[in-house]
Amino acid sequence: MFKPVFAALLVATCCPAGANTFVADPLVETTRSDPAVTNEHSDGSAIEHISIYANRTERLQEDVLASITVLNRSDILARQANDLPELLAQLPGINMSRDGGRGQNSSIYLRGGNTGHTLVLVDGVRSGSATLGYKPLAMVPLELIERIEVIRGPRAAWYGSDALAGVIAITTRRSSALELHAGAGSFGQAGADISASQQVQQLTLRASAGVSQADGFNAQPALDPDSDGYQQQYLKVAADYRSDYGLWSVQADVNSGFNQFDTSFGSEDETDTLNRAYLLGWQQQLNSWQHQASLSRTFDSDTTFSSDSRSPFVTERDEFNYQAATDFSSGLGFVSGVNWYQEQVAKSATAYEQTNRINRAVFAGLNYQLAGLQLEGAARHDAINHYGEQVTWQLAAGYQFAYQWQLRASRGTAFKVPSFNQLYFPGFANPNLKPEQSLSDEIAVSYQGNNLQLQLAWFDRQVTNLIQGVELAENVLLATVQGIEFSLARQWQQWHSNFSYTWLDTKNRSNGLKLERRPENTVNWRGSYTADRWSAFITADYQSATYQGADWFSGDAFPDAPAHTVWGAGLGYSISPQLTLRARLANLTDKQYYTSRGYATAGANFSVSVSYILQ
């Protein structure tokens, strides 16, 4: 068993004490302000990474009073994760439960929140199914992602509904070169993708496309002795045009495919998916004001089926955003804007009582900085069909009390409107559901040195009207989540180590039970070494025993998912500046474990890939 105290020793063993030389791993892109992910230039100087979404404006991450992780494209490649949920589960404060392999349903719990408590933005646009109430991440192609920004803590004062636990902001591919990638692995995994761009005077054209598939493994061995795989195709085309009237951008994304699964409910065991997104954007600097506007349309279609039945669900969302921002010479920054979106159920397997709702919102925020003192505040007013008005706010303060040391504290409110399924799906729905509401606090201390970065954060969230239930959705009077996050990054010459530990205490106050599938203790560790053209890494991911809920009829608790540690290792070799080979072995010890009751996980498996980048 992998004890947390043993994990802590890995930090010291991989990073000898007294180190004062800082050399980068060229295959790893990381971020300065999150100790769990750090990256530097080849000369050893730290990269100044930017937060785009935490305060809706570009700011150095060290100037944002929130817990943030940023992964850029080179870091995504270097980590060699099998898919997006697996990549996110390596980051501080995130746990994952999975109903099988790649393509099957995966639930992400950010700081103990429900899956629907994390808002997913794709290129700044609210994303996800209106019937489900969240964005399924299992079929989001990792190959089509340029950048990921994870903001831990409430952000409803900026973005409205859903951002109780945090925000996952995804930027799709914006390659400035010709890139080719191909890979293969266990369980019939194979895929390839290409990205290219062309600039003609003020016009820049970009395109990315790819395919991937896998035969998979048996998701639920007790139900159906088959392999459950997936297949998908994806395409993005975009254009940017710079003129005297601002920067104009237009893009279209299409992602389609299918995934197979096992279920004890009915005979349907396959899902066809189709996601489309269209975006028109504009931004312009006028004197000291930065103006931005966007108009988008998203389309989400999921049809579960078998040989004798089909259950289609299609939702659409139209959204408009406008904001204006400026920085005054006194150190005062200001942002304000409007947000409007309409979501509707265009098609469903069963009739819904309501199929449309509109959200109208205004928001504003201030940021003030004087010497070592920082203050932030934001507020938002939402007017939503059938729910009247919601007002959310957040306040934060930070103080640099010593060189490279900062203490910060924040408090914020958030809410989530029930999904169409929770409100109107026959046999499950409860039209009397109230919106979930939360009050969150965080206190953190951080150190940002050249070869050592650390952060210790305590957080507390109280959720009223939490929506729970399987046969009937209902509001729980109160649920609480408390936790501690500790992250540390250490580098010495060619050695580099990332370590994070998260402790969670979750409770449904109506019955005194824990919230399902949130392990109390989680450890993620990654150690790497670079020599000339070679790079190697080893990972260890630990979860303590995890509560799996109770039987619907008897009320008896299911056995906890046992504690487990999963080890992995990988290699990278740069044949030339353009050509890189990578290989990874996952679950080295062939650990038999599960994160979702009744569902299998992959045993020992491998993947290999090749990347060609022509600048």
Side-chain angles (χ1 to χ4, degrees):
M1 184 177 292
F2 187 87
K3 299 293 186 181
V5 66
F6 173 65
L9 295 177
L10 291 172
V11 182
T13 57
C14 185
C15 304
N20 54 20
T21 304
F22 196 62
V23 178
D25 180 348
L27 299 179
V28 179
E29 172 107 26
T30 50
T31 171
R32 178 177 177 181
S33 63
D34 188 335
V37 188
T38 55
N39 185 52
E40 299 75 32
H41 293 291
S42 59
D43 62 0
S45 60
I47 287 179
E48 299 285 348
H49 274 263
I50 302 296
S51 168
I52 300 174
Y53 293 99
N55 289 35
R56 297 188 71 111
T57 58
E58 293 186 1
R59 291 189 179 276
L60 291 175
Q61 287 189 19
E62 59 192 31
D63 293 335
V64 177
L65 302 179
S67 297
I68 304 173
T69 299
V70 172
L71 301 178
N72 287 335
R73 182 62 187 168
S74 57
D75 186 61
I76 294 172
L77 289 172
R79 286 177 173 256
Q80 300 188 50
N82 193 43
D83 61 2
L84 178 57
E86 181 181 296
L87 176 69
L88 293 172
Q90 300 174 7
L91 305 182
I94 296 181
N95 300 112
M96 175 188 67
S97 69
R98 164 160 267 163
D99 298 346
R102 180 168 178 175
Q104 277 79 52
N105 180 59
S106 299
S107 298
I108 294 294
Y109 306 102
L110 180 60
R111 284 190 169 177
N114 290 344
T115 297
H117 292 172
T118 299
L119 174 64
V120 176
L121 302 173
V122 179
D123 292 323
V125 175
R126 178 179 293 268
S127 183
S129 165
T131 49
L132 285 176
Y134 60 87
K135 173 71 172 179
L137 299 178
M139 289 292 282
V140 175
L142 193 60
E143 298 83 359
L144 199 58
I145 297 177
E146 184 74 24
R147 184 181 188 272
I148 303 172
E149 182 173 341
V150 179
I151 307 158
R152 300 186 292 280
R155 267 321 187 245
W158 289 116
Y159 296 105
S161 179
D162 302 356
L164 279 81
V167 174
I168 297 174
I170 296 170
T171 302
T172 56
R173 294 302 307 278
R174 295 187 60 83
S175 176
S176 59
L178 174 64
E179 296 189 35
L180 299 169
H181 305 277
S186 300
F187 311 116
Q189 176 71 44
D193 62 273
I194 180 172
S195 296
S197 68
Q198 180 67 47
Q199 185 166 350
V200 181
Q201 297 180 346
Q202 293 106 326
L203 178 66
T204 302
L205 303 174
R206 295 185 177 90
S208 298
V211 296
S212 64
Q213 66 177 33
D215 299 329
F217 55 86
N218 193 354
Q220 280 195 295
L223 290 181
D224 190 0
D226 66 343
S227 294
D228 299 293
Y230 83 97
Q231 184 269 331
Q232 69 180 155
Q233 311 86 33
Y234 43 90
L235 169 69
K236 172 186 175 178
V237 291
D240 296 333
Y241 181 74
R242 187 174 297 278
S243 71
D244 294 337
Y245 301 99
L247 176 64
W248 299 84
S249 60
V250 60
Q251 69 180 53
D253 300 90
V254 180
N255 176 28
S256 66
F258 71 85
N259 66 84
Q260 300 165 327
F261 59 93
D262 292 334
T263 179
S264 57
F265 300 96
S267 61
E268 295 174 355
D269 60 358
E270 187 169 333
T271 300
D272 277 346
T273 64
L274 173 61
N275 306 110
R276 297 198 299 259
Y278 308 97
L279 174 63
L280 173 65
W282 167 81
Q283 56 180 295
Q284 172 76 312
Q285 184 79 34
L286 296 174
N287 298 320
S288 63
W289 288 86
Q290 174 69 35
H291 299 268
Q292 298 180 34
S294 66
L295 182 64
S296 64
R297 180 173 179 82
T298 57
F299 174 95
D300 292 276
S301 173
D302 289 275
T303 301
T304 58
F305 64 92
S306 64
S307 59
D308 56 2
S309 65
R310 296 179 67 85
S311 299
F313 291 89
V314 178
T315 64
E316 299 173 348
R317 182 182 292 108
D318 298 305
E319 183 172 5
F320 172 76
N321 279 289
Y322 167 77
Q323 72 177 49
T326 188
D327 286 325
F328 300 109
S329 58
S330 60
L332 181 66
F334 175 72
V335 182
S336 66
V338 297
N339 173 230
W340 175 94
Y341 61 89
Q342 173 182 260
E343 48 192 10
Q344 62 180 351
V345 181
K347 182 186 292 186
S348 61
T350 184
Y352 285 73
E353 182 180 337
Q354 298 283 345
T355 60
N356 181 284
R357 67 183 173 205
I358 297 175
N359 192 106
R360 306 172 182 87
V362 295
F363 58 86
L366 291 169
N367 177 280
Y368 178 71
Q369 187 166 3
L370 177 64
L373 176 66
Q374 278 185 264
L375 300 173
E376 291 179 2
R380 176 173 167 129
H381 177 273
D382 287 83
I384 312 161
N385 284 27
H386 314 300
Y387 282 100
E389 301 176 347
Q390 295 285 332
V391 176
T392 50
W393 53 267
Q394 66 183 53
L395 298 171
Y399 181 68
Q400 187 173 339
F401 61 90
Y403 180 64
Q404 297 178 321
W405 286 93
Q406 185 191 59
L407 177 68
R408 58 180 171 84
S410 62
R411 165 168 281 203
T413 61
F415 74 99
K416 177 176 175 58
V417 176
S419 69
F420 280 86
N421 281 353
Q422 292 169 334
L423 289 168
Y424 309 121
F425 191 84
F428 171 78
N430 180 356
N432 298 317
L433 286 174
K434 300 177 181 178
E436 298 172 290
Q437 296 179 318
S438 70
L439 175 65
S440 301
D441 296 301
E442 180 177 2
I443 299 174
V445 61
S446 61
Y447 173 82
Q448 300 293 333
N450 283 334
N451 62 348
L452 174 66
Q453 302 88 41
L454 64 85
Q455 176 177 285
L456 177 64
W458 167 86
F459 56 89
D460 176 90
R461 181 168 65 255
Q462 298 184 9
V463 183
T464 56
N465 299 323
L466 179 71
I467 298 175
Q468 298 279 275
V470 177
E471 293 185 311
L472 177 68
E474 58 184 357
N475 291 114
V476 173
L477 182 60
L478 178 66
T480 59
V481 178
Q482 291 184 334
I484 294 174
E485 288 174 4
F486 174 72
S487 301
L488 185 148
R490 189 81 160 93
Q491 185 144 351
W492 179 69
Q493 296 181 1
Q494 289 92 354
W495 295 95
H496 188 205
S497 176
N498 291 328
F499 171 84
S500 67
Y501 167 73
T502 302
W503 171 79
L504 274 179
D505 179 22
T506 66
K507 187 166 292 186
N508 180 337
R509 293 294 178 179
S510 66
N511 56 22
L513 298 176
K514 295 180 179 180
L515 300 181
E516 296 180 19
R517 304 182 185 180
R518 279 79 153 177
E520 183 176 355
N521 298 286
T522 304
V523 173
N524 302 106
W525 173 77
R526 174 188 168 101
S528 64
Y529 178 80
T530 303
D532 299 323
R533 297 181 177 181
W534 286 93
S535 178
F537 68 84
I538 186 168
T539 61
D541 299 293
Y542 166 83
Q543 287 189 4
S544 60
T546 307
Y547 175 65
Q548 291 288 303
D551 186 87
W552 304 348
F553 304 105
S554 68
D556 296 334
F558 295 119
D560 288 353
H564 61 269
T565 302
V566 179
W567 293 86
L571 292 171
Y573 179 69
S574 296
I575 297 176
S576 70
Q578 295 79 31
L579 186 63
T580 302
L581 302 178
R582 296 182 178 89
R584 179 190 178 218
L585 294 174
N587 196 356
L588 286 172
T589 61
D590 197 26
K591 182 71 174 181
Q592 302 300 303
Y593 69 99
Y594 64 91
T595 55
S596 180
R597 187 183 63 85
Y599 288 93
T601 53
N605 62 94
F606 76 93
S607 62
V608 294
S609 64
V610 57
S611 300
Y612 179 79
I613 302 175
L614 180 63
Q615 297 291 341

